[in-house]
Structures are given as structure tokens and as C-alpha cells.
Amino acid sequence: MTRKLHLTACLAVLLILHALCPLVAETGEAKLRLLYFTADWCGPCQLMQQQTWPVPAVQSELRQYTLTKIDIDAEKETARKWSVSSIPTFIISDSEGTQALVRTSGFKDGDQMVQWLQDARVMAMDQLARQRATQAKYEASQQMLRKATGNWDQPENAAAVQALFTLLAMRESLTEAQSTSLDRQVQALAEQAPGLLAQGILHRDLQVRVRVARALSTEDTPLDAWASESERTRQCEAYRSAIQRGVLKQD
């Protein structure tokens, strides 16, 4: 009887971990990926094979994902890529499998797995939604900056610089490529429109002020990102005055 139950559990796992891949969401959107890192010698993995995966509620939740089972011995490079140091490990990534959104490790019974799959999906979708919102803001700001380049004397182009400040304040949400692009734009503005860029020293976000101060500060016209608001206001006015007097050049 025990052997029969074990075989039944194994069959259930095979059906779950292989027949479900790949799946497409009913909404037409690509599903999140669930990466399951395991090994034949992993005791908790084998226990989950018998006790967790066959649970109907678990199977139902798994249908919300594109599931991939990864043996860490057979796919050592993949395990290293995802920084897997213990098993079982479960990682939810975007549909292309390019970034880890939510992860957990260790044995989970049926109820625990169902709860984690539900909660993790909400967290992952929220993170992706925030990334899409950031991308939309990034693209909009890039369009504004492209239109403004070479015409910084136009009052409406100050909005493009403010859009840049907004993105600088969202640095943690940006991709490496986006962040690098913003660094280049800050440097370009420091040369083309330092007077407009200097307004960033008054921004409420410290990392915006730091980036602006780093790009603009000179020995004669210092900008201190950590100074009080009144002192930063004085510094900004002094900086802009230096530009007007020709001490600093604005192209």
C-alpha cells in the first residue's frame, strides 16, 4: 500500500511539474514563471513530493504559473545564476525569466504552499506594475528631454528637467541601463543648462540633490546636498547668479 501511495504521489508530481509547462494565462498575458530548485537527495523536496504537490489546492494555484523544475546537480550554472544556496528554493520571475521577483526556501506543507503562491503572485504582479509605471515615466521624460535639447531658454522646458528629477528620485526602481542613461543626461545638462539643473539642489529627495551637487559643484560655487533648505536656497541663488554674471558659462 505504501509503495502504491508513493507511486501515486510521484505520478501527481510528474503531471504537475511537467504537463503544466508552458501555460498561458486566460487573460492573454504571459504567466509568471515559478522556478523550483530541487535535487534527488533533498529530503524536504522528497517530502513535498509526497505531501505537498499532490494537494488539489496546490495544483490549482500552480496553474497560475509557468512551472520549471531545476535539478541543481544537473543544472549547476542555472542554480548559480539565481543564487540558490539551499533547497528546496522557489523563485517567481517575470514571464521571460529575466529577474527574480519573489523567492523563498524550505519545506512547505500544502496550506503553506497555497498561501505563499497566492501572496507571492500578488507581490510579483505589484512589482511588475510598478516597473511598467516607471518605464512609462522614463519614456515620457526622455521624449520631453529630446524636445528640450538645444532650447533650454524656453520656460516650458523646465518641466523636462523636473521630470528628470522625478526619475532620479526613483533610482531603486530603474534598470541599470536607465540609471546609466540618466547619469549621462545629468552630465549633459550640467554643460548645457546648469542653471536649470541647479534647481535640483532644492529637491526634497537627497539622492537627487547629491547627483546635482556632484555634477555642478565648483570650488567657488559649492552646492551641499546635506545643507539646510535655507542654505541650499542661498547656494542655488548664488550659483544662478554666477551664471548670469558670466562667472559660470551656460551654453
Side-chain angles (χ1 to χ4, degrees), residues 105-243:
S105 297
F107 172 84
K108 288 177 173 51
D109 62 24
D111 290 341
Q112 292 171 330
M113 195 64 190
V114 167
Q115 189 64 57
W116 183 78
L117 289 170
Q118 293 175 343
D119 293 344
R121 185 169 183 271
V122 172
M123 289 188 288
M125 295 300 289
D126 178 68
Q127 187 171 334
L128 288 174
R130 285 186 280 110
Q131 289 178 2
R132 287 193 291 268
T134 299
Q135 180 64 24
K137 290 181 180 180
Y138 177 81
E139 292 175 354
S141 73
Q142 296 308 294
Q143 184 175 7
M144 294 173 68
L145 287 166
R146 283 193 294 270
K147 290 181 178 180
T149 300
N151 298 288
W152 296 111
D153 57 333
Q154 300 299 316
E156 61 270 19
N157 288 335
V161 180
Q162 291 301 319
L164 177 62
F165 293 158
T166 297
L167 284 176
L168 290 175
M170 300 169 60
R171 188 177 182 90
E172 289 79 8
S173 301
L174 300 174
T175 65
E176 183 177 351
Q178 289 172 338
S179 184
T180 300
S181 176
L182 291 180
D183 285 336
R184 288 197 297 265
Q185 289 170 337
V186 168
Q187 291 303 318
L189 278 172
E191 298 174 1
Q192 300 171 15
L196 282 176
L197 186 61
Q199 293 295 320
I201 202 65
L202 304 178
H203 200 278
R204 65 180 181 276
D205 189 272
L206 176 60
Q207 64 180 345
V208 175
R209 303 198 301 266
V210 169
R211 300 278 286 282
V212 169
R214 188 184 303 154
L216 293 179
S217 286
T218 68
E219 184 176 348
D220 295 328
T221 54
L223 296 173
D224 184 356
W226 285 270
S228 66
E229 184 176 359
S230 60
E231 174 60 17
R232 286 185 283 111
T233 298
R234 186 197 66 77
Q235 291 176 357
C236 183
E237 292 173 351
Y239 194 95
R240 292 169 65 86
S241 176
I243 292 175

Side-chain angles (χ1 to χ4, degrees), residues 87-121:
I87 54 174
T89 286
F90 310 93
I91 298 177
I92 294 177
S93 77
D94 57 327
S95 60
E96 292 79 21
T98 59
Q99 60 174 321
L101 301 171
V102 188
R103 66 189 297 153
T104 189
S105 297
F107 172 84
K108 288 177 173 51
D109 62 24
D111 290 341
Q112 292 171 330
M113 195 64 190
V114 167
Q115 189 64 57
W116 183 78
L117 289 170
Q118 293 175 343
D119 293 344
R121 185 169 183 271

Side-chain angles (χ1 to χ4, degrees), residues 32-37 66 68-72 75-87 89-105 127:
L32 296 170
R33 285 187 177 274
L34 173 59
L35 308 179
Y36 169 38
F37 291 86
T66 296
T68 303
K69 182 180 179 181
I70 301 167
D71 187 309
I72 65 169
E75 301 184 56
K76 294 180 180 179
E77 190 60 37
T78 301
R80 280 194 292 268
K81 171 187 173 183
W82 293 96
S83 302
V84 174
S85 58
S86 63
I87 54 174
T89 286
F90 310 93
I91 298 177
I92 294 177
S93 77
D94 57 327
S95 60
E96 292 79 21
T98 59
Q99 60 174 321
L101 301 171
V102 188
R103 66 189 297 153
T104 189
S105 297
Q127 187 171 334

